[in-house]
Amino acid sequence: MSTLTPATTGTNGTTGTTAREDAGPGIAGASAAAWSADPYTVALRSGRGPLYLRRGDGWLLPLDVERWCEAPDGADRTVLRRCRGTVLDIGCGPGRLVSALAARGHRALGIDVSPEAVARTARAGGTALHRSVFDSLPGEGRWDMALLIDGNIGIGGDPTALLRRLAGVVAVTGSLIVECVQTAPQADVDERCEVRVADGRGGLGAPFPWARVGPAALTRHAEAAGWTPAGTWSAGGRTFTVLTRPAEAP
């Protein structure tokens, strides 16, 4: 894995209260505590930062709270246009995508381990559950699409395990849209570390595992978990990849 370097891609984590074994012992509970802690809750209530993921050595990854709390921007709309059928937004945060999908006529559900995120999603007109992706979820195996936006491929600190979990959540004919770290040509980002939610003023959440991956690393993790990249695009300084399941041989 490469050395961590700062990036501006926003992330909001969603591992939660009851982990399956493939999530790793303690991962879901640790992350739920972290994202339910005061710095994140306060930022969502106010709709603004500063908010960061903070590594033990003091390295900070800025989290784009203001963008999360606003209406979908141009890059988000490129995701919304590619959504079809029923959509599960994993780590929905304050619900900008869930509410926009509902307004477009989709049956959309957000899940997040932050009670404030779930409440804000409801106020925005969306539907959300206070739930970890590693908990039992409604409609497992029948969702047409799932979203891992704002860096949520990092949930649990193990992208392969997360993508394997989602293979049981999304229908065999379904797909994922994953936002990954935008990288320079030939660059590769595949990072795992322990972080805390921080407000830059001394407020810290509990430590939890996180990951960051670029397009090349995402391809490796996807293929290891039984997914196939079906297209990558960039918009507004952000990068997205569609993952589908390989067609079964006749």
Side-chain angles (χ1 to χ4, degrees):
M1 295 187 293
S2 61
T3 303
L4 279 168
T5 54
T8 57
T9 302
T11 54
N12 52 319
T14 57
T15 49
T17 53
T18 306
R20 293 171 182 256
E21 291 182 0
D22 59 1
I27 286 176
S31 292
W35 290 101
S36 299
D38 281 347
Y40 186 57
T41 298
V42 170
L44 286 189
R45 285 177 180 165
S46 66
R48 61 182 183 273
L51 197 69
Y52 308 91
L53 293 184
R54 185 184 190 278
R55 201 170 60 182
D57 62 1
W59 175 90
L60 296 173
L61 174 69
L63 302 180
D64 202 350
V65 177
E66 289 85 354
R67 179 174 60 79
W68 300 346
C69 292
E70 294 173 352
D73 62 13
D76 291 330
R77 290 193 292 274
T78 68
V79 172
L80 296 172
R81 287 196 294 269
R82 288 168 168 84
C83 289
R84 59 180 180 82
T86 58
V87 184
L88 180 67
D89 185 6
I90 298 153
C92 65
R96 73 186 190 282
L97 299 181
V98 175
S99 56
L101 286 164
R104 289 170 178 238
H106 291 273
R107 185 165 71 87
L109 175 68
I111 58 171
D112 204 292
V113 298
S114 163
E116 181 61 28
V118 171
R120 185 152 182 157
T121 299
R123 292 195 298 270
T127 301
L129 294 177
H130 183 214
R131 198 77 56 93
S132 163
V133 66
F134 296 107
D135 291 339
S136 295
L137 299 174
E140 290 201 17
R142 301 194 300 274
W143 290 95
D144 295 313
M145 297 197 74
L147 306 179
L148 288 169
I149 307 300
D150 299 325
N152 283 331
I153 185 64
I155 290 168
D158 188 338
T160 300
L162 176 59
L163 293 172
R164 284 179 177 146
R165 164 62 178 142
L166 291 177
V169 173
V170 176
V172 174
T173 56
S175 59
L176 304 177
I177 298 180
V178 181
E179 182 174 353
C180 49
V181 177
Q182 190 170 50
T183 61
Q186 309 305 317
D188 193 16
V189 176
D190 192 358
E191 307 161 342
R192 302 184 194 186
C193 62
E194 186 175 82
V195 296
R196 296 170 181 256
V197 180
D199 62 11
R201 299 180 294 271
L204 289 172
F208 63 98
W210 195 253
R212 296 174 66 240
V213 299
L218 178 60
T219 295
R220 294 193 299 272
H221 290 296
E223 290 175 346
W227 295 91
T228 298
T232 296
W233 75 97
S234 295
R238 298 160 63 193
T239 298
F240 308 90
T241 296
V242 176
L243 302 179
T244 60
R245 222 76 66 84
E248 293 185 3

